Amino acid sequence: MIWLRVLRQVIFVLVYNTHERDIYFSRHSTMSSIIHSLQWLSLFFLFTSICVSSLKIPRFGTFHRRNHQQHQTIFSSQLSKDLKTFYYMQRLDHFNYRPDSYTTFPQKYIINFKHWGGAKSNAPIFAYFGPEQQIPDDIYVGLLEDNAPKFNALVVYIEHRYYGKSTPFGSFEESMKNATTRGYFNSAQAIADYADVLLHIKQNLSAQHSPIIIFGGSYGGMLTSWFRLKYPHIAVGALASSAPILYFDGIAPRHGYFYVVTKDFKDTSESCYNTIRKSWHVIDRIAKKPNGLSILSKRFKTCKKLSTSSNLKNYLASIYTGVAQYNDPRENTLKVICDAIDGAANKTDVLGQILEGVVAYDWEKQPCYEMEGNEEPDETDIGWAWQTCSEIVMPIGIDKDDSLFQPEPFNMKEYINYCQEQYGVLPQPHWITTYYGGPDLKLNLERFASNIIFSNGLIDPYSSAGVLNSISDSIIALTTKNGSHCLDLGPEDPRDPHWLITQRNTEMEIIKGWIDKYQADLRNSTK
Amino acid sequence: MIWLRVLRQVIFVLVYNTHERDIYFSRHSTMSSIIHSLQWLSLFFLFTSICVSSLKIPRFGTFHRRNHQQHQTIFSSQLSKDLKTFYYMQRLDHFNYRPDSYTTFPQKYIINFKHWGGAKSNAPIFAYFGPEQQIPDDIYVGLLEDNAPKFNALVVYIEHRYYGKSTPFGSFEESMKNATTRGYFNSAQAIADYADVLLHIKQNLSAQHSPIIIFGGSYGGMLTSWFRLKYPHIAVGALASSAPILYFDGIAPRHGYFYVVTKDFKDTSESCYNTIRKSWHVIDRIAKKPNGLSILSKRFKTCKKLSTSSNLKNYLASIYTGVAQYNDPRENTLKVICDAIDGAANKTDVLGQILEGVVAYDWEKQPCYEMEGNEEPDETDIGWAWQTCSEIVMPIGIDKDDSLFQPEPFNMKEYINYCQEQYGVLPQPHWITTYYGGPDLKLNLERFASNIIFSNGLIDPYSSAGVLNSISDSIIALTTKNGSHCLDLGPEDPRDPHWLITQRNTEMEIIKGWIDKYQADLRNSTK
């Protein structure tokens, strides 16, 4: 088992939590839980692709919160009375008429009524599509909440089936118990759920002609763009933030993700990039020595003695990919780490330099670093592992010679075998492109479809499979050179760089155009 | 049980048969089988909506073939060597990952390679979507076959799951055996099948950039328009002939179908319309007499004594609706019948007039008229009954006072109860509009979607739920004042009226425009 094999694909999405104001991270997003769940799940790759707050870099080892105590109080108390939680009795299987398809389960959704202009005003509905994560009771997604007052918009958050409280067979464990209960857990069912919930809300609020704008990031962004394609009669427009919809069936190159991470480091510092590249071989060489693991454990101040050098390499790789994906433009952690690595060049050896990078990254200096944890995987770990082993098959590998990482090409055959062994059913690597399209995207969509924004930060490794060029006047790609994963979905902050403010403003102006046009058409149609 | 209650909804679609050249009618389309299956199925309404040949009026009582012997030979021998039958191992359930979803079944499709320009030419593919009927081995759909040579097009016919040879669980009987086996029988699965088969054909023929144009009529037309909305990356454009996509969820008025039949008769002859209207009461009055059924049986020369006057009324109603739906513009059977009814006005009473209409309709004079048959329902009867009782819920009723028919409002509650009793599962009358849209069609699609032709003949009662006004420059409604159900799909004939020739030419010109534009875009995209 090569080290990368134990890594795992994860695409989380940001869920802002009012108690912390900045960003909600559930337990699974801590590095230790990820690292530890790897051993449990023994899946192939880890892409720590949690959509990140624009306020701070995610801390994988431990989750630090700094200087936001004040915000916490304010937002928590403000929002708690504005958010209402509901449950919709959702149909288990939208595409089948077997008696068991009719089973229903409670699907959670939350509404913020505070800014709502009411049904008669045909005021818009901003709907956030829950990704592979629960929707907490005090959810707060910045872009929607910051802009709802200007639009008199109703804000709706809908939880994705199988996550959080929206489990079809009682508990999450029961729902994931076997191949039969897991079968209904896929994106086509999930967006059909969203369709049902949104029509239900419209009917309940007598808001038939309130235009719905849908928002999502990462996997949630895939869902919004796919939803706009499949259900244009329900959502007038979609913002798909950092949605790697081209990472299927060979459209985007397999090495794209790690190519961007590599480029990020190279652009930050050529010598830093070279040091990291060198470090893998140094680790390998030392690990081969009789007391190699002891030496490495000591050098890297691991809390427990390393049982394999892979755990160290996973830990380091996760820092590099995480920092690339979530680089905070206000702190530029990429640079912080590379400065530390480069700055130690004349004082220590390669491993010493790497350790300086770890220390700089984990700025609240640890007495020791936790690389072999023992936390159980949580719902997102387990759920997303299933999703990527059945439907969301993204062949991400490391093929390029000049990669920051050691080569590890994606092997579809091995992947399929692994998934079949793990879950008892074959993954369907061609289904996403059959159902949603992907190849020849411009050719197919330039005169079909409209009102989708694909936003991508080019620092984000997932941008390698994003839509980076506009397809038409209304299928618009917005890219930011220094943006990272889902940055635009975050809340406004006084420290936001100008280009981020511009990006969000542009998005909301485009969305305003969609809404205005819809409402003008509506007036004409009812004349 | 009111008489209309025993009638049944059917939407067939034309399937040309090379042995008969004019039109293929499988056994189920004979009037006797329909009438007899009614008793067996005891469903609510009959709408004899088989897409009809442009060559002759369908004979329900018996199927007459006249003057086409020569054509038969020519077309049969020409085509038999050009058509090749294939089977694609189709996935049972596209939207589920339960182990049983992975079951495959052979789905039949037929290719006519004769005119195919080959993969390198990027020549188009004309695909005909099989409706609720088998695809016979010698299928011939006029519009596709007549135009394929001009486009160097590959012609593909794909059979709809559960019909013909494309049954998922062995035989049709096994496939329809119970609520579990029937569950996978719905339109979303069917169009996903078409997507899979079309991509498979493209891959097999290395025809990745051959634009696919899809054709279908009636229910098959619904499928093509829905497919273009859901799979725009697979089909470049769709012709949806006589597709009543608005007969769902209260969009089109419930009385629309019978309103158009009424209008057709009124427009043909006000006195004919009045006589038919009167006749129901006369029949009712006589039926109430002690020897009423004997009197009616004698007057209408029934082969067996009527067991109920409903059978007579069903028989007559089916003639009127059938003639309205399939009126052949070259023979104008509507006028033939009304002329016979009106012409007898001074010679006989109302029932005598009606009998003259029957005789004129069934022009090869029968020694007696078969109104109470005993044929078993066939696959289409049984399959379509299920489809309309689960997903394709079209609430068609007679509400208007001035109807040609006796009032019979549609009662959704009764319908739902009936279906649940019959099949053990609840129909989903809102699902079609949730999945495919429908309400506010123009508002939703005028800046989304493209390349769909909705063609309707306004004589056709199903035009009442068709798209009769263009939605945009490329979602085009084509109507013909004197056209009937699916007339445009039929083969060219020297007796075709000018407007029918024009309609077909216009359709193919529009389609040529789509293909040319696609190919120009393709050239630009690969430059």
Side-chain angles (χ1 to χ4, degrees):
Chain A
M1 180 81 83
I2 312 173
W3 67 272
L4 208 59
R5 289 277 163 80
V6 295
L7 294 175
R8 190 173 69 80
Q9 278 184 5
V10 189
I11 307 187
F12 298 76
V13 84
L14 84 172
V15 182
Y16 287 92
N17 182 298
T18 56
H19 293 309
E20 287 146 22
R21 196 327 181 141
D22 45 356
I23 187 164
Y24 170 83
F25 266 107
S26 62
R27 189 173 47 81
H28 60 259
S29 66
T30 61
M31 187 55 158
S32 57
S33 84
I34 287 175
I35 292 290
H36 302 153
S37 68
L38 301 175
Q39 294 151 346
W40 186 87
L41 288 165
S42 72
L43 289 182
F44 278 44
F45 296 105
L46 164 70
F47 300 113
T48 48
S49 52
I50 304 146
C51 271
V52 75
S53 157
S54 58
L55 288 176
K56 62 200 309 258
I57 302 155
R59 307 270 102 190
F60 293 106
T62 47
F63 180 43
H64 304 271
R65 296 177 196 91
R66 298 188 304 180
N67 308 322
H68 296 291
Q69 301 307 321
Q70 209 185 339
H71 283 303
Q72 285 175 35
T73 323
I74 294 165
F75 277 80
S76 175
S77 60
Q78 270 195 347
L79 276 170
S80 56
K81 62 177 181 193
D82 301 323
L83 293 180
K84 271 197 163 176
T85 298
F86 300 88
Y87 291 89
Y88 175 74
M89 289 313 292
Q90 189 57 267
R91 188 182 159 106
L92 178 60
D93 191 340
H94 299 275
F95 305 102
N96 205 309
Y97 292 81
R98 295 163 56 122
D100 50 0
S101 312
Y102 285 75
T103 309
T104 56
F105 66 92
Q107 180 168 22
K108 180 176 173 178
Y109 65 98
I110 292 176
I111 298 183
N112 183 351
F113 288 97
K114 187 176 180 184
H115 313 294
W116 175 227
K120 282 175 192 162
S121 65
N122 292 332
I125 296 171
F126 288 174
Y128 176 81
F129 280 10
E132 71 285 23
Q133 202 174 30
Q134 66 158 317
I135 297 278
D137 287 331
D138 49 3
I139 185 165
Y140 182 87
V141 177
L143 191 67
L144 285 78
E145 297 287 351
D146 290 339
N147 287 285
K150 301 167 206 161
F151 288 82
N152 298 323
L154 189 78
V155 180
V156 178
Y157 302 93
I158 316 175
E159 195 166 67
H160 191 292
R161 59 165 55 198
Y162 283 75
Y163 294 105
K165 297 271 188 285
S166 305
T167 49
F169 299 98
S171 68
F172 180 75
E173 288 66 30
E174 278 297 306
S175 302
M176 295 299 291
K177 190 172 62 176
N178 59 43
T180 297
T181 60
R182 284 189 298 263
Y184 310 86
F185 186 0
N186 59 66
S187 70
Q189 300 283 358
I191 63 173
D193 292 343
Y194 294 148
D196 266 355
V197 171
L198 289 172
L199 290 181
H200 170 77
I201 290 171
K202 276 194 155 191
Q203 190 169 35
N204 265 13
L205 299 181
S206 304
Q208 197 197 337
H209 286 118
S210 282
I212 296 176
I213 309 294
I214 51 179
F215 298 76
S218 205
Y219 168 58
M222 293 183 187
L223 296 179
T224 61
S225 64
W226 293 337
F227 189 91
R228 173 64 186 154
L229 292 178
K230 295 290 185 200
Y231 299 87
H233 50 288
I234 297 177
V236 166
L239 172 66
S241 175
S242 303
I245 62 159
L246 302 178
Y247 231 139
F248 298 98
D249 219 5
I251 307 170
R254 292 178 170 193
H255 63 268
Y257 183 95
F258 287 100
Y259 172 81
V260 174
V261 181
T262 298
K263 189 177 175 301
D264 290 345
F265 275 83
K266 225 185 220 172
D267 288 352
T268 303
S269 158
E270 188 89 19
S271 58
C272 172
Y273 153 80
N274 282 323
T275 307
I276 294 171
R277 263 168 66 81
K278 251 182 255 168
S279 70
W280 310 119
H281 306 289
V282 176
I283 292 170
D284 287 342
R285 207 182 55 229
I286 296 174
K288 275 182 197 147
K289 294 184 182 175
N291 59 342
L293 291 176
S294 292
I295 297 169
L296 290 171
S297 302
K298 216 168 174 183
R299 295 279 329 244
F300 282 94
K301 300 179 182 171
T302 64
C303 298
K304 276 184 295 194
K305 193 193 151 190
L306 287 164
S307 57
T308 157
S309 65
S310 294
N311 289 346
L312 170 62
K313 295 206 283 188
N314 292 346
Y315 177 78
L316 296 172
S318 300
I319 289 177
Y320 307 140
T321 54
V323 162
Q325 192 162 313
Y326 307 120
N327 188 56
D328 184 336
R330 289 163 300 231
E331 304 195 346
N332 200 354
T333 324
L334 266 167
K335 195 169 177 312
V336 169
I337 290 180
C338 275
D339 281 354
I341 290 175
D342 289 343
N346 297 326
K347 301 172 204 156
T348 176
D349 60 3
V350 166
L351 291 195
Q353 285 182 269
I354 297 297
L355 179 63
E356 287 303 313
V358 172
V359 172
Y361 171 71
D362 210 347
W363 61 65
E364 284 186 14
K365 224 170 179 164
Q366 304 295 311
C368 66
Y369 294 96
E370 188 65 74
M371 293 179 199
E372 307 202 10
N374 49 16
E375 282 182 45
E376 284 294 299
D378 73 358
E379 285 179 13
T380 296
D381 297 326
I382 297 167
W384 188 242
W386 157 252
Q387 289 195 260
T388 52
C389 246
S390 51
E391 184 195 33
I392 313 289
V393 178
M394 291 186 288
I396 302 176
I398 308 172
D399 299 283
K400 284 273 182 172
D401 283 346
D402 64 347
S403 177
L404 185 72
F405 306 90
Q406 289 179 306
E408 183 64 34
F410 181 88
N411 184 320
M412 185 61 88
K413 208 177 148 189
E414 277 183 36
Y415 190 79
I416 286 174
N417 288 343
Y418 165 81
C419 292
Q420 189 167 27
E421 203 176 287
Q422 194 77 1
Y423 297 107
V425 295
L426 270 175
Q428 300 291 306
H430 308 303
W431 174 245
I432 288 290
T433 54
T434 297
Y435 194 50
Y436 300 114
D440 298 318
L441 199 71
K442 185 171 164 58
L443 191 62
N444 292 323
L445 295 190
E446 63 189 332
R447 266 182 314 287
F448 189 98
S450 61
N451 297 7
I452 304 174
I453 300 168
F454 290 101
S455 67
N456 279 281
L458 299 181
I459 295 283
D460 172 17
Y462 273 117
S463 68
S464 59
V467 177
L468 303 183
N469 295 299
S470 292
I471 287 174
S472 68
D473 285 352
S474 71
I475 306 185
I476 298 163
L478 287 182
T479 58
T480 50
K481 188 166 167 281
N482 294 311
S484 50
H485 204 57
C486 306
L487 205 57
D488 48 346
L489 287 180
E492 290 167 12
D493 182 275
R495 297 178 306 143
D496 285 334
H498 179 68
W499 54 262
L500 178 56
I501 297 168
T502 304
Q503 181 189 23
R504 289 192 187 126
N505 288 345
T506 306
E507 289 171 357
M508 295 314 298
E509 272 163 32
I510 293 168
I511 288 169
K512 186 173 183 306
W514 299 341
I515 293 169
D516 289 347
K517 185 82 185 107
Y518 174 88
Q519 284 170 337
D521 288 346
L522 181 65
R523 283 191 297 273
N524 286 333
S525 74
T526 51
K527 258 178 197 165
Chain B
M1 177 82 84
I2 311 175
W3 67 271
L4 208 59
R5 290 275 164 81
V6 295
L7 295 175
R8 191 172 71 79
Q9 279 184 4
V10 189
I11 307 187
F12 297 77
V13 82
L14 85 173
V15 183
Y16 287 92
N17 179 297
T18 56
H19 294 309
E20 288 147 20
R21 186 355 175 125
D22 45 357
I23 187 164
Y24 171 83
F25 265 108
S26 61
R27 191 172 48 79
H28 60 260
S29 66
T30 62
M31 186 52 159
S32 57
S33 85
I34 289 175
I35 292 289
H36 302 152
S37 67
L38 301 176
Q39 294 151 347
W40 186 85
L41 289 164
S42 74
L43 288 182
F44 278 45
F45 297 104
L46 164 69
F47 301 112
T48 49
S49 53
I50 304 145
C51 270
V52 74
S53 155
S54 57
L55 288 176
K56 63 201 309 262
I57 301 154
R59 306 270 102 190
F60 294 106
T62 49
F63 180 42
H64 304 270
R65 295 175 197 93
R66 297 187 306 176
N67 310 323
H68 295 293
Q69 301 306 321
Q70 211 185 341
H71 284 303
Q72 284 176 34
T73 324
I74 296 164
F75 277 80
S76 173
S77 61
Q78 270 193 351
L79 277 171
S80 56
K81 62 177 182 192
D82 301 323
L83 293 180
K84 271 197 165 176
T85 298
F86 300 88
Y87 290 89
Y88 175 75
M89 291 313 292
Q90 189 57 265
R91 188 181 158 106
L92 178 60
D93 191 340
H94 299 276
F95 305 102
N96 205 307
Y97 292 81
R98 295 162 57 122
D100 51 0
S101 313
Y102 285 75
T103 309
T104 55
F105 66 92
Q107 180 169 22
K108 180 176 174 179
Y109 65 98
I110 292 177
I111 298 184
N112 182 351
F113 287 97
K114 188 176 179 183
H115 314 293
W116 174 226
K120 282 174 191 162
S121 66
N122 292 333
I125 296 171
F126 289 174
Y128 176 80
F129 279 9
E132 70 284 23
Q133 201 174 31
Q134 67 159 317
I135 297 279
D137 286 332
D138 49 3
I139 185 167
Y140 182 87
V141 177
L143 191 67
L144 285 78
E145 297 288 351
D146 291 339
N147 287 284
K150 301 167 206 161
F151 287 83
N152 298 324
L154 189 78
V155 180
V156 178
Y157 302 93
I158 316 174
E159 195 167 68
H160 191 291
R161 58 165 54 197
Y162 284 74
Y163 294 105
K165 297 271 189 286
S166 306
T167 50
F169 299 98
S171 68
F172 180 74
E173 287 66 30
E174 278 297 305
S175 302
M176 294 299 291
K177 190 172 63 178
N178 59 44
T180 297
T181 61
R182 283 190 298 264
Y184 310 86
F185 187 179
N186 59 65
S187 69
Q189 300 283 359
I191 63 172
D193 292 342
Y194 294 148
D196 266 355
V197 171
L198 289 172
L199 290 180
H200 171 77
I201 290 171
K202 276 194 156 187
Q203 190 168 34
N204 265 12
L205 300 181
S206 304
Q208 197 197 338
H209 286 119
S210 282
I212 296 176
I213 309 294
I214 51 178
F215 298 78
S218 204
Y219 169 57
M222 294 181 188
L223 295 179
T224 61
S225 64
W226 292 338
F227 190 91
R228 173 63 185 154
L229 292 177
K230 294 290 184 199
Y231 299 87
H233 50 288
I234 298 177
V236 165
L239 172 65
S241 175
S242 303
I245 63 161
L246 302 178
Y247 232 139
F248 297 98
D249 221 4
I251 307 169
R254 291 178 169 193
H255 64 268
Y257 184 95
F258 287 100
Y259 172 80
V260 174
V261 180
T262 298
K263 189 176 175 302
D264 290 345
F265 275 83
K266 226 186 219 171
D267 288 352
T268 304
S269 158
E270 187 89 19
S271 58
C272 172
Y273 153 80
N274 282 324
T275 307
I276 294 171
R277 267 169 63 83
K278 249 182 254 166
S279 71
W280 310 118
H281 305 290
V282 176
I283 293 169
D284 286 343
R285 206 181 55 228
I286 296 175
K288 276 182 196 149
K289 292 185 184 177
N291 59 342
L293 290 176
S294 290
I295 297 170
L296 290 171
S297 301
K298 217 168 171 183
R299 293 272 339 238
F300 282 93
K301 299 178 182 171
T302 63
C303 299
K304 276 185 293 193
K305 193 194 152 190
L306 288 163
S307 58
T308 158
S309 65
S310 293
N311 288 346
L312 170 61
K313 296 204 283 188
N314 292 346
Y315 177 78
L316 295 172
S318 301
I319 289 176
Y320 307 140
T321 54
V323 162
Q325 192 162 315
Y326 307 122
N327 188 55
D328 183 337
R330 289 162 302 231
E331 304 192 347
N332 200 354
T333 324
L334 266 167
K335 195 169 176 311
V336 169
I337 290 179
C338 275
D339 281 354
I341 290 176
D342 288 343
N346 297 325
K347 300 172 202 155
T348 178
D349 60 1
V350 165
L351 291 196
Q353 284 183 270
I354 297 297
L355 178 62
E356 286 304 310
V358 172
V359 173
Y361 171 72
D362 209 347
W363 61 63
E364 285 185 12
K365 223 168 179 165
Q366 304 294 309
C368 66
Y369 294 95
E370 187 66 73
M371 293 179 199
E372 305 202 13
N374 49 17
E375 283 182 45
E376 284 293 299
D378 73 357
E379 285 179 14
T380 298
D381 297 326
I382 298 167
W384 188 243
W386 157 252
Q387 289 195 262
T388 51
C389 245
S390 51
E391 184 195 33
I392 314 289
V393 178
M394 291 186 287
I396 302 177
I398 308 172
D399 299 285
K400 285 272 182 173
D401 283 345
D402 65 347
S403 177
L404 186 70
F405 306 91
Q406 291 178 304
E408 182 64 33
F410 182 89
N411 185 319
M412 184 62 88
K413 208 175 150 192
E414 277 184 36
Y415 189 80
I416 286 174
N417 288 342
Y418 166 81
C419 292
Q420 190 167 26
E421 201 176 289
Q422 193 78 1
Y423 297 106
V425 295
L426 270 176
Q428 300 291 306
H430 308 302
W431 174 245
I432 289 289
T433 54
T434 298
Y435 194 50
Y436 300 113
D440 298 317
L441 199 70
K442 185 172 163 59
L443 190 62
N444 290 324
L445 294 189
E446 64 189 332
R447 266 183 315 286
F448 188 98
S450 61
N451 297 6
I452 304 175
I453 300 169
F454 290 101
S455 67
N456 280 281
L458 298 182
I459 294 285
D460 172 17
Y462 272 116
S463 68
S464 60
V467 177
L468 304 183
N469 296 299
S470 292
I471 286 173
S472 68
D473 285 352
S474 72
I475 306 185
I476 298 164
L478 287 181
T479 58
T480 50
K481 188 166 167 283
N482 294 311
S484 50
H485 203 57
C486 307
L487 206 58
D488 49 346
L489 287 181
E492 290 166 14
D493 181 275
R495 298 178 305 143
D496 284 335
H498 179 68
W499 54 261
L500 178 57
I501 298 169
T502 304
Q503 181 190 21
R504 290 192 187 125
N505 288 344
T506 306
E507 287 171 359
M508 295 314 298
E509 272 163 33
I510 293 167
I511 288 170
K512 187 172 181 305
W514 298 342
I515 294 170
D516 289 349
K517 186 80 185 108
Y518 174 88
Q519 285 172 337
D521 288 345
L522 181 64
R523 283 190 298 274
N524 287 334
S525 74
T526 52
K527 255 177 199 166

